[in-house]
Each structure stands twice: as structure tokens, then as C-alpha cells.
């Protein structure tokens, strides 16, 4: 867990942009930043000394930001006798708007005086910020919390000069087990590189902030000890789904610099919840399924339970999940997908026009199966392939006997061997992002439990 005495926090952002016509003011940003600062300094929170927190929210002038951050780090690291940030954690938090400026579309964090036509120069540039933190505290662990749109794209600015592939290959297996003292960079982002973050309400807080602070103040009884950024990210997404928000942006964790190990798995945040003993279904302790981090089940049955639960959570207006499959429906979809007798059918997606027998989409214990019979289009994605897939919106040509043609929405899935667009054109509005998010959710599960999914523990 982080040492409050050796953790330095910087909180910045803005809630109004008077020089930018396209960005509406919202007190939710200021409320969220203040709530995060309160958590960082509260005795029941991170318990950081007030001197260890630099408050820059609503302050103007990007150059002044860089100068004050450098001066703050130099003064506090000197007081801690922490040369170059040794044995310290530097936490940088931003709450506000993130967007792209300039001919190169550089990702920037807006400040209260960001203005045209020099938007990029009057904002915080991620490339400059990455270099500043590395220069001021190269031996520190650096954790960024970005509560803004398109936050996931910020990771690319924090890769070391050797490049992400070299770093990943050299350090991917090295897990941080103690804090502080291990160098590296991790980022907890409110949204992906292509998704916008949201406000719970313009006058209250951001959606991400509300879920984040709820998780950090309640803790997690399933995790023994402090919470890692990845565990917090999972819990935040669960809280967003449970809140009833339709298709909430999925938070992400990125670890662009693994110089000292994978900071995303480090026990960073205090966990106020008492640990719950791991038990099997009969109520007795099962030493064979004890979770090392409280998040990773060790059996195929546990994985299938999580997949089924996720399907139930994700069902809603855009598409309907049928987890209780009738024998007649099961027989039909098994025939359509040529499923082996031993392959377990978990759920069927009712596509509204599925009753015509032309389209079928199902989840089994081995993977996702999709078939569009009229076009002889099919896709079989085993769970061990999911982490290698990418998902996005796609278009498929449609036509009529009269020759009229148009393009329908679909979900584009790129696998290691091919790209195919799944035709969901007849589904209600909003289905494409819903289906894409569902596939990404299953992908994340498959990635997390890859040793189980790829093995023989069925």
C-alpha cells in the first residue's frame, strides 16, 4: 500500500473555459476534483499530509503549471531526502476536458484559459507532462488518474524511448509486490481513446468520479489487502453498470512504462473493507481456489459464472440476452453453428429478427458464435482469441430487389487472421456500441483469465 508520507499528489483541471465556445461550463468538474482532494487528505482515505498535495484546479497558464509542478516536486522530494523520487509515488490527477488540437491532433488537457488559435499551447500537453514528471522524479512510481474524454489515448505519450514492445517483452512478467520504491507509470483512465467521459449531472460530479470514490471509500471484501489500479478499475466499471447508466464508458488501466514492474497490479489504494474468506459452493474453504489478488478465479466453472453474470448485466433495450434457453431454441442454434455435443450453450442474443431463422448469435463455454445464413457470413471467436481482437463500428452493404442499396451499421471484429463485419442493421438504435462493449467486456474477462481459458480445466 502507498506510504502517505512518501506520496505526492497533483490535482489540476478546470470547470469553465470562457475562451472556448464549444465547451460548456460545469460545476461537476470542480466538485469532482474537490472530492478527490478530500479523499487523498482524509484520515479515512489516502491520508496524505496537506503539504504533499498540490492544488492547481482552475488555475490558468500552462507554463505556470509546469513550473509549479517542478518546484513542488523538487521541494517535497528534498524534504523527504528522496533523490530523483526514490521510494516515492507521484500521483497526478486531472478532471476536465481532454481533446485533440493542432495539425498533428495532439491530445491536450484543457485549462481555464485555453484559447484559440493557440489551443494546444495554452493547454497541458501530455508529451510535455510525461517528460516533466520523468525529469523531476525519474526513480519514482508515477500514477495518473485522468477523468476526461478520450483519456486512454494519453498512454502513448508515456512510453519510454525504447518503445512499448521492448518494454513489454522485458518486463511483462515482472509484478510489483511491494510499494513504494518500484519505478514505472500506470494510468487509470475514465474512458478509452475513442470514448467520451460523462457527467452524472452538470451540477453534481462526473460519472467516473462518483463510481471511483464510492469504490475507494467502501473497499472490496473480495481482495485481501490494498487495491491495485486494475482492481479499482474493475470495481468502478461494476459500479457504473450497477448504477443503471446505459452503456457507460468503460474505464481503462494502461501501464506504458514497466521499468520497475507492472504498476497496474501494485497494491496502491487502501482497502477499508475486511477481507472475506474464499469459500467453495458448499460453504467450506477451498484451498485450491484461493485467489491471489481476490479477482482471478482458478476454475473454468468460475469463469463461466462470470461470463453468464456479465451477459445478464448487459441485457437491456438494445438487445436481449436469453440465458434460459428452451430445448427447441437450443436445438436450432446448435444446428446453425454445428456445435459439438460437449460444447455448453450459455446464452443466445435475441436479435428481434432472429425468429426468421436467418441470424444467430450465441455465447458458449468456448467462445462467441455468429452466423448470418442469407449471406453465408459466420464468425467463431474462441475466448483465447478475444484478447487479440479489436472491435469497432463497421458498415455492410444492404440492398433490395429494386436495386436500391444502402449501408447498415455493424460491429467490425478484427482477429489475428481476418476482419469481418457483423450485420446488426435491423437492431434498434444504439445496438452497435452495446454489442461492441459486450464483446470488449468478454475480451477483458478472457484476457484476465487467459491461463484458465486456454487450458484444460473444464
Amino acid at each position: 500500500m502507498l506510504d502517505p508520507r512518501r506520496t505526492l499528489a497533483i490535482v489540476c483541471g478546470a470547470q469553465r473555459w470562457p475562451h472556448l465556445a464549444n465547451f460548456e461550463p460545469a460545476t461537476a468538474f470542480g466538485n469532482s476534483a474537490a472530492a478527490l482532494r478530500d479523499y487523498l487528505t482524509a484520515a479515512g482515505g489516502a491520508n496524505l499530509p496537506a503539504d504533499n498535495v498540490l492544488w492547481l484546479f482552475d488555475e490558468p497558464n500552462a507554463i505556470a503549471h509546469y513550473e509549479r509542478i517542478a518546484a513542488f516536486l523538487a521541494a517535497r522530494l528534498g524534504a523527504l531526502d528522496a533523490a530523483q523520487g526514490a521510494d516515492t509515488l507521484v500521483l497526478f490527477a486531472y478532471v476536465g476536458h481532454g481533446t485533440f488540437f493542432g495539425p498533428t491532433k495532439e491530445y491536450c488537457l484543457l485549462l481555464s484559459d485555453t484559447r484559440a488559435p493557440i489551443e494546444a499551447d495554452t493547454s497541458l500537453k501530455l508529451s510535455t507532462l510525461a517528460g516533466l514528471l520523468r525529469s523531476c522524479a525519474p526513480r519514482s512510481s508515477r500514477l495518473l488518474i485522468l477523468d476526461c474524454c478520450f483519456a486512454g489515448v494519453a498512454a502513448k505519450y508515456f512510453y519510454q524511448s525504447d518503445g512499448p514492445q521492448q518494454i513489454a517483452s522485458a518486463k511483462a512478467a515482472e509484478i510489483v509486490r511491494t510499494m513504494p520504491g518500484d519505478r514505472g507509470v500506470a494510468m487509470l483512465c475514465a474512458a478509452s481513446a475513442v470514448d467520451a467521459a460523462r457527467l452524472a449531472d452538470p451540477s453534481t460530479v462526473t460519472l467516473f468520479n462518483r463510481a471511483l470514490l464510492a469504490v475507494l471509500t467502501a473497499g472490496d471484501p473480495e481482495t485481501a489487502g490494498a487495491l491495485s489500479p486494475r482492481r479499482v478499475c474493475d470495481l468502478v466499471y461494476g459500479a457504473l453498470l450497477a448504477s443503471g447508466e446505459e452503456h457507460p464508458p468503460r474505464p481503462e488501466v494502461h501501464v506504458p512504462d514497466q521499468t520497475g514492474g507492472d504498476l497496474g497490479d501494485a497494491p496502491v489504494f487502501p482497502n477499508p473493507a475486511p477481507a472475506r474468506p474464499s469459500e467453495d459452493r458448499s460453504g467450506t474453504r477451498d484451498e485450491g481456489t484461493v485467489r491471489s489478488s481476490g479477482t482471478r478465479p482458478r476454475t473454468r466453472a468460475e469463469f463461466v459464472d462470470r461470463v453468464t453474470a456479465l451477459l445478464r448485466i448487459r441485457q437491456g433495450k438494445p438487445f436481449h440476452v436469453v440465458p434460459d434457453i428452451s430445448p427447441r431454441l437450443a436445438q436450432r442454434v446448435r444446428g446453425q453453428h454445428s456445435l459439438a455435443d460437449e460444447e455448453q450453450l450459455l446464452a443466445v442474443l435475441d436479435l428481434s429478427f432472429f425468429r426468421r431463422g436467418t441470424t444467430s448469435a450465441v455465447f458458449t463455454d468456448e467462445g462467441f458464435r455468429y452466423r448470418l445464413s442469407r449471406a453465408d457470413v459466420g464468425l467463431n471467436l474462441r475466448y483465447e482469441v478475444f484478447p487479440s481482437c479489436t472491435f469497432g463500428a463497421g458498415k455492410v452493404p444492404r440492398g433490395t430487389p429494386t436495386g436500391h442499396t444502402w449501408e447498415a451499421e455493424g460491429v467490425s471484429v478484427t482477429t489475428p487472421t481476418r476482419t469481418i463485419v457483423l450485420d446488426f442493421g435491423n437492431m434498434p438504435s444504439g445496438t452497435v456500441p452495446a454489442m461492441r462493449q459486450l464483446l470488449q467486456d468478454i475480451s477483458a474477462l478472457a484476457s484476465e483469465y487467459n491461463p484458465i481459458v486456454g487450458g484444460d480445466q473444464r
Side-chain angles (χ1 to χ4, degrees), residues 373-421:
S373 60
R374 68 174 179 269
D376 195 27
V377 172
L379 184 66
N380 296 325
L381 290 178
R382 298 179 66 87
Y383 289 123
E384 56 262 33
V385 178
F386 267 54
S388 301
C389 297
T390 58
F391 306 96
K395 297 287 185 179
V396 290
R398 303 290 292 274
T400 68
T402 62
H404 175 68
T405 61
W406 72 96
E407 287 190 333
E409 284 190 339
V411 176
S412 175
V413 182
T414 301
T415 73
T417 57
R418 62 173 174 158
T419 297
I420 189 169
V421 178

CSV table of all heavy atoms in Angstrom, one decimal, residues 373-421:
chain,number,residue,atom,x,y,z
A,373,SER,N,-27.1,-16.5,-42.2
A,373,SER,CA,-27.2,-17.5,-43.2
A,373,SER,C,-27.5,-17.0,-44.6
A,373,SER,O,-27.0,-17.6,-45.5
A,373,SER,CB,-28.3,-18.5,-42.7
A,373,SER,OG,-29.6,-17.8,-42.7
A,374,ARG,N,-28.2,-15.9,-44.7
A,374,ARG,CA,-28.6,-15.5,-46.0
A,374,ARG,C,-27.4,-15.0,-46.8
A,374,ARG,O,-27.4,-14.9,-48.0
A,374,ARG,CB,-29.7,-14.4,-46.0
A,374,ARG,CG,-29.2,-13.1,-45.4
A,374,ARG,CD,-30.3,-12.0,-45.5
A,374,ARG,NE,-29.9,-10.7,-44.9
A,374,ARG,CZ,-30.1,-10.4,-43.7
A,374,ARG,NH1,-30.7,-11.3,-42.8
A,374,ARG,NH2,-29.7,-9.2,-43.2
A,375,ALA,N,-26.3,-14.6,-46.1
A,375,ALA,CA,-25.1,-14.1,-46.8
A,375,ALA,C,-23.9,-15.1,-46.5
A,375,ALA,O,-22.8,-14.8,-46.9
A,375,ALA,CB,-24.7,-12.7,-46.2
A,376,ASP,N,-24.2,-16.2,-45.9
A,376,ASP,CA,-23.2,-17.2,-45.6
A,376,ASP,C,-22.0,-16.5,-44.9
A,376,ASP,O,-20.9,-16.8,-45.2
A,376,ASP,CB,-22.7,-17.9,-46.9
A,376,ASP,CG,-21.9,-19.1,-46.5
A,376,ASP,OD1,-22.2,-19.7,-45.5
A,376,ASP,OD2,-21.1,-19.5,-47.3
A,377,VAL,N,-22.3,-15.7,-43.9
A,377,VAL,CA,-21.3,-15.0,-43.1
A,377,VAL,C,-21.3,-15.6,-41.7
A,377,VAL,O,-22.4,-15.8,-41.1
A,377,VAL,CB,-21.6,-13.5,-43.0
A,377,VAL,CG1,-20.7,-12.8,-42.0
A,377,VAL,CG2,-21.5,-12.8,-44.3
A,378,GLY,N,-20.1,-16.0,-41.2
A,378,GLY,CA,-20.1,-16.5,-39.9
A,378,GLY,C,-18.8,-16.1,-39.2
A,378,GLY,O,-17.8,-15.8,-39.9
A,379,LEU,N,-18.8,-16.2,-37.9
A,379,LEU,CA,-17.6,-15.8,-37.1
A,379,LEU,C,-17.6,-16.6,-35.9
A,379,LEU,O,-18.6,-16.7,-35.1
A,379,LEU,CB,-17.6,-14.3,-36.8
A,379,LEU,CG,-16.4,-13.8,-36.0
A,379,LEU,CD1,-15.2,-13.9,-36.9
A,379,LEU,CD2,-16.6,-12.4,-35.6
A,380,ASN,N,-16.5,-17.4,-35.6
A,380,ASN,CA,-16.4,-18.2,-34.4
A,380,ASN,C,-15.1,-17.6,-33.7
A,380,ASN,O,-14.0,-17.8,-34.2
A,380,ASN,CB,-16.2,-19.7,-34.7
A,380,ASN,CG,-17.4,-20.3,-35.4
A,380,ASN,OD1,-18.5,-19.9,-35.1
A,380,ASN,ND2,-17.2,-21.2,-36.3
A,381,LEU,N,-15.4,-17.0,-32.5
A,381,LEU,CA,-14.3,-16.5,-31.7
A,381,LEU,C,-14.1,-17.2,-30.5
A,381,LEU,O,-15.0,-17.2,-29.6
A,381,LEU,CB,-14.5,-15.0,-31.4
A,381,LEU,CG,-14.5,-14.0,-32.6
A,381,LEU,CD1,-14.8,-12.6,-32.1
A,381,LEU,CD2,-13.1,-14.0,-33.2
A,382,ARG,N,-13.0,-18.0,-30.3
A,382,ARG,CA,-12.8,-18.7,-29.1
A,382,ARG,C,-12.3,-17.7,-28.1
A,382,ARG,O,-11.7,-16.7,-28.4
A,382,ARG,CB,-11.7,-19.8,-29.3
A,382,ARG,CG,-12.2,-20.9,-30.3
A,382,ARG,CD,-11.1,-22.0,-30.4
A,382,ARG,NE,-10.9,-22.7,-29.2
A,382,ARG,CZ,-11.6,-23.8,-28.8
A,382,ARG,NH1,-12.6,-24.2,-29.6
A,382,ARG,NH2,-11.3,-24.4,-27.7
A,383,TYR,N,-12.5,-17.9,-26.8
A,383,TYR,CA,-12.2,-16.9,-25.8
A,383,TYR,C,-10.7,-16.6,-25.7
A,383,TYR,O,-10.2,-15.5,-25.4
A,383,TYR,CB,-12.7,-17.4,-24.4
A,383,TYR,CG,-14.2,-17.3,-24.3
A,383,TYR,CD1,-14.9,-18.4,-23.9
A,383,TYR,CD2,-14.8,-16.2,-24.5
A,383,TYR,CE1,-16.3,-18.4,-23.9
A,383,TYR,CE2,-16.2,-16.1,-24.5
A,383,TYR,CZ,-16.9,-17.2,-24.1
A,383,TYR,OH,-18.3,-17.2,-24.0
A,384,GLU,N,-9.8,-17.6,-26.1
A,384,GLU,CA,-8.4,-17.3,-26.0
A,384,GLU,C,-8.0,-16.4,-27.2
A,384,GLU,O,-6.9,-15.9,-27.1
A,384,GLU,CB,-7.6,-18.6,-26.1
A,384,GLU,CG,-7.9,-19.5,-27.3
A,384,GLU,CD,-8.9,-20.6,-26.9
A,384,GLU,OE1,-9.7,-20.4,-26.0
A,384,GLU,OE2,-8.7,-21.7,-27.4
A,385,VAL,N,-8.8,-16.2,-28.2
A,385,VAL,CA,-8.5,-15.3,-29.3
A,385,VAL,C,-9.0,-13.9,-29.0
A,385,VAL,O,-8.4,-12.9,-29.5
A,385,VAL,CB,-9.2,-15.8,-30.6
A,385,VAL,CG1,-8.9,-14.9,-31.7
A,385,VAL,CG2,-8.7,-17.2,-30.9
A,386,PHE,N,-10.0,-13.8,-28.1
A,386,PHE,CA,-10.5,-12.4,-27.8
A,386,PHE,C,-9.5,-11.4,-27.4
A,386,PHE,O,-9.6,-10.3,-27.9
A,386,PHE,CB,-11.6,-12.6,-26.7
A,386,PHE,CG,-13.0,-12.8,-27.1
A,386,PHE,CD1,-13.3,-13.8,-28.0
A,386,PHE,CD2,-14.0,-11.9,-26.8
A,386,PHE,CE1,-14.6,-14.0,-28.4
A,386,PHE,CE2,-15.3,-12.1,-27.2
A,386,PHE,CZ,-15.6,-13.2,-28.1
A,387,PRO,N,-8.5,-11.7,-26.6
A,387,PRO,CA,-7.5,-10.6,-26.3
A,387,PRO,C,-6.8,-10.1,-27.5
A,387,PRO,O,-6.2,-9.0,-27.4
A,387,PRO,CB,-6.6,-11.3,-25.3
A,387,PRO,CG,-7.4,-12.4,-24.7
A,387,PRO,CD,-8.3,-12.9,-25.8
A,388,SER,N,-6.7,-10.9,-28.6
A,388,SER,CA,-6.0,-10.4,-29.8
A,388,SER,C,-7.0,-9.7,-30.8
A,388,SER,O,-6.5,-9.3,-31.8
A,388,SER,CB,-5.4,-11.6,-30.5
A,388,SER,OG,-4.5,-12.3,-29.6
A,389,CYS,N,-8.2,-9.6,-30.4
A,389,CYS,CA,-9.2,-9.0,-31.3
A,389,CYS,C,-9.3,-7.5,-31.0
A,389,CYS,O,-9.1,-7.0,-29.9
A,389,CYS,CB,-10.6,-9.6,-31.2
A,389,CYS,SG,-10.6,-11.3,-31.7
A,390,THR,N,-9.7,-6.7,-32.0
A,390,THR,CA,-10.1,-5.3,-31.9
A,390,THR,C,-11.5,-5.1,-32.4
A,390,THR,O,-11.9,-5.8,-33.3
A,390,THR,CB,-9.1,-4.4,-32.6
A,390,THR,OG1,-9.2,-4.7,-34.0
A,390,THR,CG2,-7.7,-4.5,-32.1
A,391,PHE,N,-12.2,-4.2,-31.8
A,391,PHE,CA,-13.6,-4.0,-32.1
A,391,PHE,C,-13.9,-2.6,-32.4
A,391,PHE,O,-13.3,-1.6,-31.9
A,391,PHE,CB,-14.5,-4.4,-30.9
A,391,PHE,CG,-14.2,-5.8,-30.3
A,391,PHE,CD1,-13.4,-6.0,-29.3
A,391,PHE,CD2,-14.8,-6.9,-30.9
A,391,PHE,CE1,-13.1,-7.2,-28.8
A,391,PHE,CE2,-14.6,-8.1,-30.5
A,391,PHE,CZ,-13.7,-8.3,-29.4
A,392,GLY,N,-14.8,-2.4,-33.4
A,392,GLY,CA,-15.1,-1.0,-33.8
A,392,GLY,C,-16.4,-1.0,-34.6
A,392,GLY,O,-16.9,-2.1,-35.0
A,393,ALA,N,-16.9,0.2,-34.9
A,393,ALA,CA,-18.1,0.3,-35.7
A,393,ALA,C,-17.8,-0.1,-37.2
A,393,ALA,O,-16.7,0.3,-37.7
A,393,ALA,CB,-18.7,1.6,-35.6
A,394,GLY,N,-18.7,-0.7,-37.9
A,394,GLY,CA,-18.4,-1.1,-39.3
A,394,GLY,C,-19.7,-0.8,-40.1
A,394,GLY,O,-20.7,-0.5,-39.6
A,395,LYS,N,-19.6,-1.0,-41.4
A,395,LYS,CA,-20.7,-0.8,-42.3
A,395,LYS,C,-20.7,-2.0,-43.3
A,395,LYS,O,-19.7,-2.5,-43.7
A,395,LYS,CB,-20.5,0.4,-43.2
A,395,LYS,CG,-20.6,1.7,-42.4
A,395,LYS,CD,-21.9,2.1,-41.9
A,395,LYS,CE,-22.0,3.4,-41.1
A,395,LYS,NZ,-23.3,3.8,-40.7
A,396,VAL,N,-22.0,-2.5,-43.5
A,396,VAL,CA,-22.2,-3.6,-44.5
A,396,VAL,C,-23.2,-3.1,-45.5
A,396,VAL,O,-24.1,-2.4,-45.2
A,396,VAL,CB,-22.7,-4.9,-43.8
A,396,VAL,CG1,-21.6,-5.5,-43.0
A,396,VAL,CG2,-23.9,-4.6,-43.0
A,397,PRO,N,-23.0,-3.5,-46.8
A,397,PRO,CA,-23.9,-3.1,-47.9
A,397,PRO,C,-25.2,-3.9,-47.7
A,397,PRO,O,-25.2,-5.1,-47.5
A,397,PRO,CB,-23.2,-3.4,-49.1
A,397,PRO,CG,-22.2,-4.5,-48.8
A,397,PRO,CD,-21.8,-4.2,-47.4
A,398,ARG,N,-26.3,-3.2,-47.9
A,398,ARG,CA,-27.6,-3.8,-47.9
A,398,ARG,C,-28.3,-3.5,-49.2
A,398,ARG,O,-28.0,-2.4,-49.9
A,398,ARG,CB,-28.5,-3.4,-46.7
A,398,ARG,CG,-27.8,-3.7,-45.4
A,398,ARG,CD,-27.8,-5.1,-45.1
A,398,ARG,NE,-29.1,-5.7,-44.8
A,398,ARG,CZ,-29.7,-5.6,-43.6
A,398,ARG,NH1,-29.1,-5.1,-42.6
A,398,ARG,NH2,-30.9,-6.1,-43.5
A,399,GLY,N,-29.3,-4.2,-49.7
A,399,GLY,CA,-30.0,-4.0,-50.9
A,399,GLY,C,-31.4,-4.5,-51.0
A,399,GLY,O,-31.8,-5.2,-50.1
A,400,THR,N,-32.1,-4.1,-52.0
A,400,THR,CA,-33.5,-4.6,-52.3
A,400,THR,C,-33.6,-5.1,-53.7
A,400,THR,O,-32.7,-4.9,-54.5
A,400,THR,CB,-34.5,-3.4,-52.1
A,400,THR,OG1,-34.3,-2.5,-53.2
A,400,THR,CG2,-34.3,-2.7,-50.8
A,401,PRO,N,-34.7,-5.9,-54.0
A,401,PRO,CA,-34.8,-6.4,-55.3
A,401,PRO,C,-34.9,-5.3,-56.4
A,401,PRO,O,-34.6,-5.5,-57.6
A,401,PRO,CB,-36.1,-7.2,-55.2
A,401,PRO,CG,-36.3,-7.5,-53.8
A,401,PRO,CD,-35.7,-6.4,-53.1
A,402,THR,N,-35.3,-4.1,-56.0
A,402,THR,CA,-35.3,-3.0,-57.0
A,402,THR,C,-34.0,-2.3,-57.2
A,402,THR,O,-33.9,-1.5,-58.1
A,402,THR,CB,-36.3,-1.9,-56.4
A,402,THR,OG1,-35.8,-1.4,-55.2
A,402,THR,CG2,-37.7,-2.5,-56.2
A,403,GLY,N,-33.0,-2.8,-56.5
A,403,GLY,CA,-31.6,-2.3,-56.8
A,403,GLY,C,-31.2,-1.1,-55.9
A,403,GLY,O,-30.1,-0.7,-55.9
A,404,HIS,N,-32.1,-0.7,-55.0
A,404,HIS,CA,-31.8,0.3,-54.0
A,404,HIS,C,-30.8,-0.2,-53.0
A,404,HIS,O,-31.0,-1.3,-52.4
A,404,HIS,CB,-33.0,0.9,-53.3
A,404,HIS,CG,-32.7,1.8,-52.2
A,404,HIS,ND1,-32.2,3.1,-52.5
A,404,HIS,CD2,-32.9,1.7,-50.9
A,404,HIS,CE1,-32.1,3.7,-51.3
A,404,HIS,NE2,-32.5,2.9,-50.3
A,405,THR,N,-29.7,0.5,-52.7
A,405,THR,CA,-28.7,0.0,-51.8
A,405,THR,C,-28.4,1.0,-50.7
A,405,THR,O,-28.6,2.2,-51.0
A,405,THR,CB,-27.4,-0.4,-52.5
A,405,THR,OG1,-26.9,0.8,-53.1
A,405,THR,CG2,-27.6,-1.5,-53.5
A,406,TRP,N,-28.0,0.6,-49.6
A,406,TRP,CA,-27.6,1.5,-48.5
A,406,TRP,C,-26.6,0.7,-47.6
A,406,TRP,O,-26.4,-0.5,-47.8
A,406,TRP,CB,-28.8,2.0,-47.7
A,406,TRP,CG,-29.4,1.0,-46.8
A,406,TRP,CD1,-29.2,0.8,-45.5
A,406,TRP,CD2,-30.4,0.0,-47.2
A,406,TRP,NE1,-30.0,-0.3,-45.0
A,406,TRP,CE2,-30.7,-0.8,-46.1
A,406,TRP,CE3,-31.0,-0.3,-48.4
A,406,TRP,CZ2,-31.6,-1.8,-46.1
A,406,TRP,CZ3,-32.0,-1.4,-48.4
A,406,TRP,CH2,-32.3,-2.1,-47.3
A,407,GLU,N,-26.0,1.4,-46.7
A,407,GLU,CA,-25.1,0.8,-45.8
A,407,GLU,C,-25.8,0.7,-44.4
A,407,GLU,O,-26.4,1.7,-43.9
A,407,GLU,CB,-23.8,1.6,-45.7
A,407,GLU,CG,-22.9,1.5,-46.9
A,407,GLU,CD,-21.5,2.0,-46.7
A,407,GLU,OE1,-21.4,3.0,-45.9
A,407,GLU,OE2,-20.6,1.6,-47.3
A,408,ALA,N,-25.6,-0.4,-43.8
A,408,ALA,CA,-26.2,-0.6,-42.4
A,408,ALA,C,-25.1,-0.7,-41.4
A,408,ALA,O,-23.9,-1.1,-41.7
A,408,ALA,CB,-27.0,-1.9,-42.4
A,409,GLU,N,-25.4,-0.4,-40.2
A,409,GLU,CA,-24.4,-0.4,-39.1
A,409,GLU,C,-24.1,-1.9,-38.8
A,409,GLU,O,-24.9,-2.8,-38.9
A,409,GLU,CB,-24.9,0.3,-37.8
A,409,GLU,CG,-24.9,1.8,-37.9
A,409,GLU,CD,-25.2,2.4,-36.6
A,409,GLU,OE1,-25.8,1.7,-35.7
A,409,GLU,OE2,-24.8,3.6,-36.4
A,410,GLY,N,-22.8,-2.1,-38.3
A,410,GLY,CA,-22.4,-3.4,-37.9
A,410,GLY,C,-21.3,-3.3,-36.8
A,410,GLY,O,-20.9,-2.2,-36.5
A,411,VAL,N,-20.9,-4.4,-36.4
A,411,VAL,CA,-19.7,-4.4,-35.4
A,411,VAL,C,-18.6,-5.1,-36.2
A,411,VAL,O,-18.6,-6.2,-36.6
A,411,VAL,CB,-20.1,-5.2,-34.2
A,411,VAL,CG1,-18.8,-5.3,-33.3
A,411,VAL,CG2,-21.2,-4.6,-33.4
A,412,SER,N,-17.5,-4.3,-36.4
A,412,SER,CA,-16.3,-4.8,-37.0
A,412,SER,C,-15.4,-5.5,-36.0
A,412,SER,O,-15.0,-4.9,-35.0
A,412,SER,CB,-15.6,-3.6,-37.7
A,412,SER,OG,-14.4,-4.1,-38.3
A,413,VAL,N,-15.1,-6.7,-36.3
A,413,VAL,CA,-14.2,-7.5,-35.4
A,413,VAL,C,-13.0,-7.9,-36.2
A,413,VAL,O,-13.1,-8.6,-37.3
A,413,VAL,CB,-14.9,-8.8,-34.9
A,413,VAL,CG1,-14.0,-9.5,-34.0
A,413,VAL,CG2,-16.2,-8.4,-34.2
A,414,THR,N,-11.8,-7.5,-35.8
A,414,THR,CA,-10.6,-7.9,-36.4
A,414,THR,C,-9.9,-8.9,-35.6
A,414,THR,O,-9.5,-8.7,-34.4
A,414,THR,CB,-9.7,-6.6,-36.6
A,414,THR,OG1,-10.4,-5.7,-37.4
A,414,THR,CG2,-8.4,-7.0,-37.3
A,415,THR,N,-9.7,-10.1,-36.2
A,415,THR,CA,-9.0,-11.2,-35.5
A,415,THR,C,-7.6,-11.3,-36.0
A,415,THR,O,-7.2,-10.5,-36.9
A,415,THR,CB,-9.7,-12.5,-35.7
A,415,THR,OG1,-9.4,-12.9,-37.1
A,415,THR,CG2,-11.2,-12.4,-35.6
A,416,PRO,N,-6.7,-12.1,-35.4
A,416,PRO,CA,-5.4,-12.3,-35.9
A,416,PRO,C,-5.3,-12.7,-37.4
A,416,PRO,O,-4.3,-12.5,-38.0
A,416,PRO,CB,-4.8,-13.3,-35.0
A,416,PRO,CG,-5.5,-13.2,-33.8
A,416,PRO,CD,-6.9,-12.9,-34.2
A,417,THR,N,-6.4,-13.2,-37.9
A,417,THR,CA,-6.3,-13.7,-39.3
A,417,THR,C,-7.2,-13.0,-40.3
A,417,THR,O,-7.0,-13.0,-41.5
A,417,THR,CB,-6.7,-15.2,-39.4
A,417,THR,OG1,-8.0,-15.4,-38.8
A,417,THR,CG2,-5.7,-16.1,-38.6
A,418,ARG,N,-8.3,-12.3,-39.8
A,418,ARG,CA,-9.2,-11.7,-40.8
A,418,ARG,C,-10.0,-10.6,-40.0
A,418,ARG,O,-10.1,-10.6,-38.8
A,418,ARG,CB,-10.1,-12.7,-41.4
A,418,ARG,CG,-11.0,-13.4,-40.5
A,418,ARG,CD,-12.0,-14.3,-41.2
A,418,ARG,NE,-12.8,-15.1,-40.3
A,418,ARG,CZ,-14.0,-15.7,-40.6
A,418,ARG,NH1,-14.5,-15.4,-41.7
A,418,ARG,NH2,-14.6,-16.4,-39.7
A,419,THR,N,-10.7,-9.8,-40.9
A,419,THR,CA,-11.7,-8.8,-40.4
A,419,THR,C,-13.0,-9.2,-40.9
A,419,THR,O,-13.2,-9.4,-42.1
A,419,THR,CB,-11.3,-7.4,-40.7
A,419,THR,OG1,-10.0,-7.1,-40.1
A,419,THR,CG2,-12.3,-6.4,-40.3
A,420,ILE,N,-14.1,-9.1,-40.1
A,420,ILE,CA,-15.4,-9.4,-40.6
A,420,ILE,C,-16.3,-8.4,-39.9
A,420,ILE,O,-16.1,-7.9,-38.7
A,420,ILE,CB,-15.9,-10.8,-40.3
A,420,ILE,CG1,-17.2,-11.1,-41.0
A,420,ILE,CG2,-16.0,-11.0,-38.8
A,420,ILE,CD1,-17.5,-12.6,-40.9
A,421,VAL,N,-17.4,-7.9,-40.6
A,421,VAL,CA,-18.4,-7.0,-40.0
A,421,VAL,C,-19.6,-7.8,-39.7
A,421,VAL,O,-20.2,-8.4,-40.6
A,421,VAL,CB,-18.7,-5.8,-41.0
A,421,VAL,CG1,-19.7,-4.9,-40.4
A,421,VAL,CG2,-17.4,-5.0,-41.3
